Amino acid sequence: PITDSIKVSVGSSYDITDSETNNYSLNYNELTGEFDEVNSDLTRLFTTKSTLFNPYAQFLLDKSKLSATVKVGANIYNQDNFGQYKTSVENLTVNKTLPQLQGNIRYQKGNNSLMLMYNYNTSLPSASQLLAIEDQSSLTSTITGNPNLDPNKAHSFSMMFGNFDRKTRQGFNAFLNYTYNESSIVNDIVTDENLTRTITYENITGN
């Protein structure tokens, strides 16, 4: 019976991430003969401190010709973002709970095997993408974050077919992959008559 081949497990994981983008620029000081004057036009700082708590349940099926794994859970994000440029200082905390879903199924008969895989991927925008700081450190562009951005969400589908003859030790594999972006972050660029670009970020759906 199929119930004898099913295993269920539960678990959780906890990840901590701390990242920093620190563009610290100094000018040459003729009085001291050292590079010790801060260039405020080029100096900017973005930091992100985030935690990800992932409780999940996993179901495994293991038969002689058929095996499958399904993992369902939640990705609970907490992200503290900080940014500073010139006199602008921004803080933004993002709390999101997003679903987690992964699965694969494998069928094997003789020398042939077929595997189907699915993965739902999510991630939060970075501090520089979220914080509404007008970054003018480039001569040709001004970049401003968008605090209303949604997380990145994508559905990934894969299929693999294999044929392997153990006697001759010959075979081949074929692999197909497709990703559909439910929500992704792209640059929104406006160029004026002086060829100066104003850049921010927005969400789009689709590929």
Side-chain angles (χ1 to χ4, degrees):
I2 194 170
T3 53
D4 295 340
S5 305
I6 294 179
K7 296 180 180 179
V8 180
S9 62
V10 295
S12 64
S13 64
Y14 188 78
D15 295 320
I16 301 174
T17 304
D18 191 346
S19 62
E20 177 180 294
T21 301
N22 189 353
N23 298 100
Y24 189 63
S25 181
L26 295 174
N27 290 333
Y28 181 73
N29 187 334
E30 293 184 355
L31 294 178
T32 63
E34 302 287 342
F35 286 89
D36 56 13
E37 288 187 347
V38 176
N39 186 326
S40 60
D41 291 330
L42 299 180
T43 297
R44 58 197 188 279
L45 172 67
F46 292 99
T47 67
T48 299
K49 296 180 179 180
S50 61
T51 62
L52 171 58
F53 177 55
N54 169 229
Y56 62 85
Q58 188 167 263
F59 305 87
L60 296 95
L61 171 66
D62 190 9
K63 301 289 285 184
S64 59
K65 295 182 180 180
L66 183 69
S67 62
T69 302
V70 176
K71 185 177 183 180
V72 294
N75 287 322
I76 304 172
Y77 294 94
N78 175 268
Q79 180 172 293
D80 293 321
N81 302 284
F82 171 82
Q84 182 175 6
Y85 176 69
K86 293 185 177 180
T87 60
S88 297
V89 177
E90 292 282 339
N91 291 276
L92 180 64
T93 298
V94 178
N95 294 296
K96 290 284 184 181
T97 299
L98 300 172
Q100 179 197 34
L101 180 58
Q102 298 174 339
N104 66 76
I105 184 169
R106 185 174 186 269
Y107 178 76
Q108 184 163 355
K109 184 176 181 181
N111 296 333
N112 300 313
S113 64
L114 177 67
M115 178 177 285
L116 302 175
M117 293 163 282
Y118 169 79
N119 193 21
Y120 183 60
N121 301 298
T122 61
S123 64
L124 297 186
S126 67
S128 59
Q129 291 174 326
L130 283 170
L131 297 175
I133 292 177
E134 192 173 277
D135 182 354
Q136 300 174 329
S137 58
S138 171
L139 295 176
T140 59
S141 61
T142 298
I143 304 174
T144 307
N146 178 2
N148 298 314
L149 286 174
D150 290 327
N152 295 293
K153 305 172 187 176
H155 304 265
S156 179
F157 305 88
S158 302
M159 181 177 68
M160 185 174 68
F161 175 79
N163 177 281
F164 182 75
D165 189 329
R166 290 181 175 83
K167 293 181 179 179
T168 63
R169 303 188 66 80
Q170 293 181 341
F172 69 91
N173 290 310
F175 183 80
L176 294 174
N177 182 73
Y178 173 74
T179 298
Y180 174 74
N181 292 310
E182 178 184 335
S183 174
S184 59
I185 299 169
V186 298
N187 294 346
D188 182 11
I189 303 174
V190 177
T191 304
D192 64 17
E193 65 275 6
N194 298 317
L195 301 181
T196 300
R197 301 185 303 168
T198 301
I199 304 171
T200 187
Y201 303 96
E202 65 177 13
N203 291 108
I204 62 170
T205 298
N207 298 346

